[in-house]
Amino acid sequence: MESDRTTPTTPDGRSFRRIVGTDVDEALTFFTGDYDFRSPRVRRTRQRPQWDFAGVADELMSLRTARFLVDLRTESLVEDQFLVAWLRSGSSTITFGGQSIDLEPGVPVVLPDAYELHHRDIGLNLVQLDKAHVRSLVGDADFTFDAMHRPSAEGIRAWQSVVRAHSSTWLRNDHELAPAARRAVVDAFATAAVEAFPHRERWQSTVTGNGPEHARLRLALEYVHAHARDAIGTAEIAAA
């Protein structure tokens, strides 16, 4: 039996959605629309698959929680948002730039713009932040995070502190938030993300793309940057 409980908006105009179901095709249709899944492949891990989703969003931020009890492989694309994710349960492997990285339970990371994922019976929390807004707060139109790099212990604590302080306020779909209060919550999450997660220096951001060749070029640039005062040549850069 499917249960679909959807409230279009909160009293202040934010969108709210809560869905619970057992139909895999329905789940794929929903997640494909929200996360731009491309050619998803699903294998059942139990006789009765389960999935659920809840989230509250405005034009600058979305807080979401999802559970999908299947084995899912797909490609995904994120273009105009920074997406912070942390695993609650199950396992997930993200592949991009020629490398595969397992999400660690409870450890938040910023996902790449384009990647392949392999979810297995996952429970996942996500915060989506508008890229343009984050960049305006930083004052750098080219600002970007270093995807999938684990934050420091201090960074994790800073992020968790903001999540604890503001999530319940944001997720109350029956409660109206004044515009100033909404903006304060959004800016608290955006500022915490900038402080918590590693980001690329401007010279690193000049290499766009997430393919293996882009990753190799970024490694070469990192080597040159780190050894700018050393007598290095083409051979050393190529080896790096």
Side-chain angles (χ1 to χ4, degrees):
M1 178 177 180
E2 304 296 330
S3 173
D4 185 334
R5 294 169 291 163
T6 303
T7 303
T9 59
T10 64
D12 55 39
R14 289 170 296 147
S15 63
F16 167 69
R17 183 177 290 172
R18 178 178 294 148
I19 304 174
V20 179
T22 58
D23 188 287
V24 173
D25 291 334
E26 181 188 22
L28 285 177
T29 298
F30 172 76
F31 287 118
T32 297
D34 261 33
Y35 297 100
D36 199 8
F37 285 175
R38 303 189 172 194
S39 302
R41 303 174 300 283
V42 173
R43 181 176 60 83
R44 293 173 181 261
T45 59
R46 59 195 66 210
Q47 185 174 358
R48 184 180 173 86
Q50 295 178 331
W51 69 281
D52 55 68
F53 172 91
V56 176
D58 70 0
E59 69 278 6
L60 297 180
M61 185 177 76
S62 172
L63 268 61
R64 302 177 172 197
T65 180
R67 187 171 62 113
F68 200 7
L69 302 185
V70 296
D71 186 290
L72 168 67
R73 296 175 185 264
T74 187
E75 298 176 0
S76 188
L77 179 66
V78 182
E79 293 185 316
D80 57 354
Q81 297 173 326
F82 293 124
L83 181 55
V84 181
W86 62 101
L87 197 66
R88 297 194 322 272
S89 59
S91 62
S92 178
T93 302
I94 304 296
T95 300
F96 76 109
Q99 60 179 336
S100 295
I101 299 175
D102 293 331
L103 295 184
E104 301 177 58
V107 178
V109 293
V110 179
L111 297 182
D113 291 339
Y115 56 94
E116 297 177 12
L117 65 82
H118 182 191
H119 287 335
R120 296 170 292 278
D121 293 335
I122 57 101
L124 198 67
N125 290 340
L126 305 107
V127 176
Q128 292 179 259
L129 294 165
D130 180 73
K131 279 187 179 180
H133 183 65
V134 174
R135 287 168 172 168
S136 70
L137 288 177
V138 175
D140 181 354
D142 297 318
F143 175 86
T144 191
F145 292 99
D146 210 353
M148 297 303 296
H149 278 221
R150 179 190 174 115
S152 66
E154 182 179 354
I156 292 176
R157 286 193 295 270
W159 179 254
Q160 291 174 337
S161 177
V162 168
V163 171
R164 286 194 297 269
H166 297 291
S167 290
S168 59
T169 299
W170 186 266
L171 292 171
R172 282 190 61 186
N173 62 295
D174 60 344
H175 178 67
E176 183 175 358
L177 281 177
R182 286 171 57 183
R183 180 63 178 268
V185 174
V186 170
D187 287 356
F189 272 94
T191 300
V194 172
E195 293 176 352
F197 301 107
H199 45 84
R200 291 182 189 168
E201 300 295 339
R202 184 180 294 272
W203 57 270
Q204 292 174 305
S205 301
T206 59
V207 181
T208 60
N210 290 296
E213 68 280 9
H214 302 106
R216 288 194 293 270
L217 183 52
R218 273 191 286 270
L219 284 174
L221 286 174
E222 289 172 7
Y223 181 82
V224 171
H225 185 77
H227 297 82
R229 297 182 180 180
D230 300 335
I232 60 173
T234 304
E236 290 79 9
I237 296 172

PDB file of all heavy atoms in Angstrom, residues 75-102:
ATOM      1  N   GLU A  75      23.913   7.600 -12.636  1.00  0.00           N
ATOM      2  CA  GLU A  75      24.672   8.829 -12.749  1.00  0.00           C
ATOM      3  C   GLU A  75      23.791   9.971 -12.279  1.00  0.00           C
ATOM      4  O   GLU A  75      22.565   9.907 -12.380  1.00  0.00           O
ATOM      5  CB  GLU A  75      25.108   9.063 -14.202  1.00  0.00           C
ATOM      6  CG  GLU A  75      26.029   7.985 -14.749  1.00  0.00           C
ATOM      7  CD  GLU A  75      26.360   8.199 -16.211  1.00  0.00           C
ATOM      8  OE1 GLU A  75      25.858   9.194 -16.796  1.00  0.00           O
ATOM      9  OE2 GLU A  75      27.094   7.390 -16.769  1.00  0.00           O
ATOM     10  N   SER A  76      24.410  11.022 -11.750  1.00  0.00           N
ATOM     11  CA  SER A  76      23.639  12.155 -11.265  1.00  0.00           C
ATOM     12  C   SER A  76      24.371  13.449 -11.590  1.00  0.00           C
ATOM     13  O   SER A  76      25.604  13.465 -11.705  1.00  0.00           O
ATOM     14  CB  SER A  76      23.405  12.052  -9.753  1.00  0.00           C
ATOM     15  OG  SER A  76      22.510  13.060  -9.309  1.00  0.00           O
ATOM     16  N   LEU A  77      23.615  14.514 -11.740  1.00  0.00           N
ATOM     17  CA  LEU A  77      24.176  15.809 -12.106  1.00  0.00           C
ATOM     18  C   LEU A  77      23.581  16.890 -11.206  1.00  0.00           C
ATOM     19  O   LEU A  77      22.375  16.948 -10.995  1.00  0.00           O
ATOM     20  CB  LEU A  77      23.855  16.123 -13.570  1.00  0.00           C
ATOM     21  CG  LEU A  77      24.353  17.450 -14.123  1.00  0.00           C
ATOM     22  CD1 LEU A  77      25.875  17.473 -14.180  1.00  0.00           C
ATOM     23  CD2 LEU A  77      23.775  17.702 -15.513  1.00  0.00           C
ATOM     24  N   VAL A  78      24.451  17.741 -10.645  1.00  0.00           N
ATOM     25  CA  VAL A  78      24.028  18.882  -9.827  1.00  0.00           C
ATOM     26  C   VAL A  78      24.661  20.120 -10.440  1.00  0.00           C
ATOM     27  O   VAL A  78      25.886  20.237 -10.484  1.00  0.00           O
ATOM     28  CB  VAL A  78      24.485  18.727  -8.362  1.00  0.00           C
ATOM     29  CG1 VAL A  78      23.998  19.904  -7.527  1.00  0.00           C
ATOM     30  CG2 VAL A  78      23.990  17.421  -7.773  1.00  0.00           C
ATOM     31  N   GLU A  79      23.849  21.059 -10.912  1.00  0.00           N
ATOM     32  CA  GLU A  79      24.405  22.181 -11.669  1.00  0.00           C
ATOM     33  C   GLU A  79      24.427  23.492 -10.900  1.00  0.00           C
ATOM     34  O   GLU A  79      25.437  24.179 -10.867  1.00  0.00           O
ATOM     35  CB  GLU A  79      23.613  22.356 -12.976  1.00  0.00           C
ATOM     36  CG  GLU A  79      23.805  21.196 -13.946  1.00  0.00           C
ATOM     37  CD  GLU A  79      23.108  21.439 -15.270  1.00  0.00           C
ATOM     38  OE1 GLU A  79      21.945  21.895 -15.239  1.00  0.00           O
ATOM     39  OE2 GLU A  79      23.725  21.190 -16.312  1.00  0.00           O
ATOM     40  N   ASP A  80      23.326  23.877 -10.302  1.00  0.00           N
ATOM     41  CA  ASP A  80      23.228  25.220  -9.727  1.00  0.00           C
ATOM     42  C   ASP A  80      23.191  25.230  -8.208  1.00  0.00           C
ATOM     43  O   ASP A  80      22.855  26.239  -7.599  1.00  0.00           O
ATOM     44  CB  ASP A  80      21.986  25.931 -10.269  1.00  0.00           C
ATOM     45  CG  ASP A  80      20.709  25.147  -9.995  1.00  0.00           C
ATOM     46  OD1 ASP A  80      20.793  24.014  -9.492  1.00  0.00           O
ATOM     47  OD2 ASP A  80      19.616  25.677 -10.289  1.00  0.00           O
ATOM     48  N   GLN A  81      23.537  24.106  -7.586  1.00  0.00           N
ATOM     49  CA  GLN A  81      23.505  24.017  -6.135  1.00  0.00           C
ATOM     50  C   GLN A  81      24.741  23.299  -5.617  1.00  0.00           C
ATOM     51  O   GLN A  81      25.340  22.473  -6.304  1.00  0.00           O
ATOM     52  CB  GLN A  81      22.256  23.263  -5.678  1.00  0.00           C
ATOM     53  CG  GLN A  81      20.952  23.944  -6.046  1.00  0.00           C
ATOM     54  CD  GLN A  81      19.755  23.078  -5.728  1.00  0.00           C
ATOM     55  OE1 GLN A  81      19.810  21.849  -5.831  1.00  0.00           O
ATOM     56  NE2 GLN A  81      18.663  23.703  -5.343  1.00  0.00           N
ATOM     57  N   PHE A  82      25.122  23.638  -4.389  1.00  0.00           N
ATOM     58  CA  PHE A  82      26.081  22.846  -3.634  1.00  0.00           C
ATOM     59  C   PHE A  82      25.265  21.864  -2.797  1.00  0.00           C
ATOM     60  O   PHE A  82      24.323  22.261  -2.106  1.00  0.00           O
ATOM     61  CB  PHE A  82      26.939  23.711  -2.723  1.00  0.00           C
ATOM     62  CG  PHE A  82      27.878  24.632  -3.450  1.00  0.00           C
ATOM     63  CD1 PHE A  82      27.854  25.991  -3.221  1.00  0.00           C
ATOM     64  CD2 PHE A  82      28.798  24.125  -4.359  1.00  0.00           C
ATOM     65  CE1 PHE A  82      28.725  26.848  -3.884  1.00  0.00           C
ATOM     66  CE2 PHE A  82      29.672  24.960  -5.034  1.00  0.00           C
ATOM     67  CZ  PHE A  82      29.642  26.328  -4.790  1.00  0.00           C
ATOM     68  N   LEU A  83      25.627  20.581  -2.865  1.00  0.00           N
ATOM     69  CA  LEU A  83      24.866  19.541  -2.181  1.00  0.00           C
ATOM     70  C   LEU A  83      25.739  18.888  -1.107  1.00  0.00           C
ATOM     71  O   LEU A  83      26.735  18.249  -1.410  1.00  0.00           O
ATOM     72  CB  LEU A  83      24.389  18.494  -3.184  1.00  0.00           C
ATOM     73  CG  LEU A  83      23.558  17.321  -2.659  1.00  0.00           C
ATOM     74  CD1 LEU A  83      22.338  17.820  -1.893  1.00  0.00           C
ATOM     75  CD2 LEU A  83      23.117  16.425  -3.812  1.00  0.00           C
ATOM     76  N   VAL A  84      25.350  19.078   0.156  1.00  0.00           N
ATOM     77  CA  VAL A  84      26.030  18.459   1.287  1.00  0.00           C
ATOM     78  C   VAL A  84      25.245  17.215   1.688  1.00  0.00           C
ATOM     79  O   VAL A  84      24.020  17.280   1.859  1.00  0.00           O
ATOM     80  CB  VAL A  84      26.123  19.424   2.480  1.00  0.00           C
ATOM     81  CG1 VAL A  84      26.865  18.759   3.644  1.00  0.00           C
ATOM     82  CG2 VAL A  84      26.830  20.719   2.080  1.00  0.00           C
ATOM     83  N   ALA A  85      25.932  16.082   1.835  1.00  0.00           N
ATOM     84  CA  ALA A  85      25.250  14.830   2.156  1.00  0.00           C
ATOM     85  C   ALA A  85      25.983  14.098   3.263  1.00  0.00           C
ATOM     86  O   ALA A  85      27.216  14.165   3.358  1.00  0.00           O
ATOM     87  CB  ALA A  85      25.170  13.936   0.910  1.00  0.00           C
ATOM     88  N   TRP A  86      25.228  13.414   4.098  1.00  0.00           N
ATOM     89  CA  TRP A  86      25.844  12.514   5.075  1.00  0.00           C
ATOM     90  C   TRP A  86      24.937  11.317   5.292  1.00  0.00           C
ATOM     91  O   TRP A  86      23.721  11.408   5.299  1.00  0.00           O
ATOM     92  CB  TRP A  86      26.195  13.215   6.384  1.00  0.00           C
ATOM     93  CG  TRP A  86      25.085  13.800   7.192  1.00  0.00           C
ATOM     94  CD1 TRP A  86      24.495  13.274   8.304  1.00  0.00           C
ATOM     95  CD2 TRP A  86      24.442  15.076   6.977  1.00  0.00           C
ATOM     96  NE1 TRP A  86      23.528  14.126   8.790  1.00  0.00           N
ATOM     97  CE2 TRP A  86      23.492  15.238   8.009  1.00  0.00           C
ATOM     98  CE3 TRP A  86      24.592  16.089   6.025  1.00  0.00           C
ATOM     99  CZ2 TRP A  86      22.685  16.375   8.095  1.00  0.00           C
ATOM    100  CZ3 TRP A  86      23.791  17.210   6.113  1.00  0.00           C
ATOM    101  CH2 TRP A  86      22.858  17.346   7.138  1.00  0.00           C
ATOM    102  N   LEU A  87      25.592  10.172   5.433  1.00  0.00           N
ATOM    103  CA  LEU A  87      24.929   8.876   5.484  1.00  0.00           C
ATOM    104  C   LEU A  87      24.422   8.594   6.897  1.00  0.00           C
ATOM    105  O   LEU A  87      25.148   8.783   7.870  1.00  0.00           O
ATOM    106  CB  LEU A  87      25.918   7.794   5.047  1.00  0.00           C
ATOM    107  CG  LEU A  87      25.398   6.420   4.643  1.00  0.00           C
ATOM    108  CD1 LEU A  87      24.567   6.528   3.377  1.00  0.00           C
ATOM    109  CD2 LEU A  87      26.575   5.473   4.429  1.00  0.00           C
ATOM    110  N   ARG A  88      23.167   8.152   6.992  1.00  0.00           N
ATOM    111  CA  ARG A  88      22.628   7.706   8.272  1.00  0.00           C
ATOM    112  C   ARG A  88      22.716   6.189   8.403  1.00  0.00           C
ATOM    113  O   ARG A  88      22.978   5.666   9.494  1.00  0.00           O
ATOM    114  CB  ARG A  88      21.156   8.118   8.418  1.00  0.00           C
ATOM    115  CG  ARG A  88      20.897   9.597   8.439  1.00  0.00           C
ATOM    116  CD  ARG A  88      19.479   9.900   8.938  1.00  0.00           C
ATOM    117  NE  ARG A  88      18.490   8.954   8.477  1.00  0.00           N
ATOM    118  CZ  ARG A  88      17.813   9.062   7.334  1.00  0.00           C
ATOM    119  NH1 ARG A  88      18.048  10.086   6.526  1.00  0.00           N
ATOM    120  NH2 ARG A  88      16.919   8.162   6.978  1.00  0.00           N
ATOM    121  N   SER A  89      22.468   5.494   7.310  1.00  0.00           N
ATOM    122  CA  SER A  89      22.460   4.031   7.341  1.00  0.00           C
ATOM    123  C   SER A  89      22.738   3.494   5.949  1.00  0.00           C
ATOM    124  O   SER A  89      22.656   4.221   4.961  1.00  0.00           O
ATOM    125  CB  SER A  89      21.119   3.504   7.861  1.00  0.00           C
ATOM    126  OG  SER A  89      20.064   3.954   7.023  1.00  0.00           O
ATOM    127  N   GLY A  90      23.050   2.202   5.860  1.00  0.00           N
ATOM    128  CA  GLY A  90      23.377   1.594   4.580  1.00  0.00           C
ATOM    129  C   GLY A  90      24.771   1.978   4.127  1.00  0.00           C
ATOM    130  O   GLY A  90      25.631   2.354   4.935  1.00  0.00           O
ATOM    131  N   SER A  91      25.013   1.903   2.824  1.00  0.00           N
ATOM    132  CA  SER A  91      26.323   2.244   2.282  1.00  0.00           C
ATOM    133  C   SER A  91      26.145   2.948   0.944  1.00  0.00           C
ATOM    134  O   SER A  91      25.167   2.738   0.231  1.00  0.00           O
ATOM    135  CB  SER A  91      27.187   0.989   2.109  1.00  0.00           C
ATOM    136  OG  SER A  91      26.591   0.087   1.187  1.00  0.00           O
ATOM    137  N   SER A  92      27.128   3.792   0.617  1.00  0.00           N
ATOM    138  CA  SER A  92      27.058   4.555  -0.623  1.00  0.00           C
ATOM    139  C   SER A  92      28.475   4.825  -1.119  1.00  0.00           C
ATOM    140  O   SER A  92      29.350   5.221  -0.347  1.00  0.00           O
ATOM    141  CB  SER A  92      26.324   5.882  -0.394  1.00  0.00           C
ATOM    142  OG  SER A  92      26.292   6.642  -1.582  1.00  0.00           O
ATOM    143  N   THR A  93      28.676   4.612  -2.413  1.00  0.00           N
ATOM    144  CA  THR A  93      29.958   4.884  -3.058  1.00  0.00           C
ATOM    145  C   THR A  93      29.743   5.916  -4.157  1.00  0.00           C
ATOM    146  O   THR A  93      28.870   5.765  -5.007  1.00  0.00           O
ATOM    147  CB  THR A  93      30.559   3.604  -3.668  1.00  0.00           C
ATOM    148  OG1 THR A  93      30.724   2.632  -2.636  1.00  0.00           O
ATOM    149  CG2 THR A  93      31.908   3.898  -4.306  1.00  0.00           C
ATOM    150  N   ILE A  94      30.548   6.976  -4.119  1.00  0.00           N
ATOM    151  CA  ILE A  94      30.488   8.035  -5.116  1.00  0.00           C
ATOM    152  C   ILE A  94      31.724   7.930  -5.994  1.00  0.00           C
ATOM    153  O   ILE A  94      32.850   7.897  -5.489  1.00  0.00           O
ATOM    154  CB  ILE A  94      30.433   9.424  -4.456  1.00  0.00           C
ATOM    155  CG1 ILE A  94      29.241   9.506  -3.494  1.00  0.00           C
ATOM    156  CG2 ILE A  94      30.385  10.514  -5.515  1.00  0.00           C
ATOM    157  CD1 ILE A  94      27.897   9.380  -4.140  1.00  0.00           C
ATOM    158  N   THR A  95      31.540   7.892  -7.319  1.00  0.00           N
ATOM    159  CA  THR A  95      32.651   7.797  -8.265  1.00  0.00           C
ATOM    160  C   THR A  95      32.670   9.039  -9.141  1.00  0.00           C
ATOM    161  O   THR A  95      31.658   9.395  -9.749  1.00  0.00           O
ATOM    162  CB  THR A  95      32.521   6.543  -9.148  1.00  0.00           C
ATOM    163  OG1 THR A  95      32.514   5.373  -8.305  1.00  0.00           O
ATOM    164  CG2 THR A  95      33.684   6.438 -10.128  1.00  0.00           C
ATOM    165  N   PHE A  96      33.829   9.700  -9.191  1.00  0.00           N
ATOM    166  CA  PHE A  96      34.000  10.879 -10.044  1.00  0.00           C
ATOM    167  C   PHE A  96      35.484  11.097 -10.248  1.00  0.00           C
ATOM    168  O   PHE A  96      36.322  10.713  -9.435  1.00  0.00           O
ATOM    169  CB  PHE A  96      33.369  12.130  -9.400  1.00  0.00           C
ATOM    170  CG  PHE A  96      34.177  12.716  -8.278  1.00  0.00           C
ATOM    171  CD1 PHE A  96      34.836  13.924  -8.440  1.00  0.00           C
ATOM    172  CD2 PHE A  96      34.289  12.056  -7.063  1.00  0.00           C
ATOM    173  CE1 PHE A  96      35.594  14.458  -7.415  1.00  0.00           C
ATOM    174  CE2 PHE A  96      35.035  12.593  -6.032  1.00  0.00           C
ATOM    175  CZ  PHE A  96      35.693  13.806  -6.211  1.00  0.00           C
ATOM    176  N   GLY A  97      35.815  11.695 -11.393  1.00  0.00           N
ATOM    177  CA  GLY A  97      37.208  11.994 -11.666  1.00  0.00           C
ATOM    178  C   GLY A  97      38.132  10.793 -11.591  1.00  0.00           C
ATOM    179  O   GLY A  97      39.299  10.922 -11.213  1.00  0.00           O
ATOM    180  N   GLY A  98      37.631   9.612 -11.914  1.00  0.00           N
ATOM    181  CA  GLY A  98      38.467   8.425 -11.903  1.00  0.00           C
ATOM    182  C   GLY A  98      38.697   7.812 -10.539  1.00  0.00           C
ATOM    183  O   GLY A  98      39.503   6.882 -10.406  1.00  0.00           O
ATOM    184  N   GLN A  99      38.016   8.271  -9.496  1.00  0.00           N
ATOM    185  CA  GLN A  99      38.191   7.699  -8.168  1.00  0.00           C
ATOM    186  C   GLN A  99      36.841   7.393  -7.544  1.00  0.00           C
ATOM    187  O   GLN A  99      35.838   8.029  -7.855  1.00  0.00           O
ATOM    188  CB  GLN A  99      38.970   8.657  -7.263  1.00  0.00           C
ATOM    189  CG  GLN A  99      38.309  10.009  -7.071  1.00  0.00           C
ATOM    190  CD  GLN A  99      39.083  10.930  -6.153  1.00  0.00           C
ATOM    191  OE1 GLN A  99      39.858  10.479  -5.315  1.00  0.00           O
ATOM    192  NE2 GLN A  99      38.899  12.225  -6.318  1.00  0.00           N
ATOM    193  N   SER A 100      36.823   6.395  -6.661  1.00  0.00           N
ATOM    194  CA  SER A 100      35.604   6.014  -5.949  1.00  0.00           C
ATOM    195  C   SER A 100      35.816   6.221  -4.455  1.00  0.00           C
ATOM    196  O   SER A 100      36.843   5.806  -3.906  1.00  0.00           O
ATOM    197  CB  SER A 100      35.260   4.546  -6.225  1.00  0.00           C
ATOM    198  OG  SER A 100      34.935   4.356  -7.591  1.00  0.00           O
ATOM    199  N   ILE A 101      34.847   6.855  -3.813  1.00  0.00           N
ATOM    200  CA  ILE A 101      34.959   7.179  -2.390  1.00  0.00           C
ATOM    201  C   ILE A 101      33.684   6.729  -1.693  1.00  0.00           C
ATOM    202  O   ILE A 101      32.575   7.029  -2.140  1.00  0.00           O
ATOM    203  CB  ILE A 101      35.167   8.693  -2.178  1.00  0.00           C
ATOM    204  CG1 ILE A 101      36.460   9.147  -2.866  1.00  0.00           C
ATOM    205  CG2 ILE A 101      35.216   9.027  -0.694  1.00  0.00           C
ATOM    206  CD1 ILE A 101      36.690  10.641  -2.804  1.00  0.00           C
ATOM    207  N   ASP A 102      33.844   6.003  -0.582  1.00  0.00           N
ATOM    208  CA  ASP A 102      32.702   5.563   0.209  1.00  0.00           C
ATOM    209  C   ASP A 102      32.300   6.663   1.187  1.00  0.00           C
ATOM    210  O   ASP A 102      33.162   7.253   1.854  1.00  0.00           O
ATOM    211  CB  ASP A 102      33.050   4.300   1.006  1.00  0.00           C
ATOM    212  CG  ASP A 102      33.285   3.096   0.114  1.00  0.00           C
ATOM    213  OD1 ASP A 102      32.688   3.049  -0.980  1.00  0.00           O
ATOM    214  OD2 ASP A 102      34.061   2.204   0.512  1.00  0.00           O
TER     215      ASP A 102
END
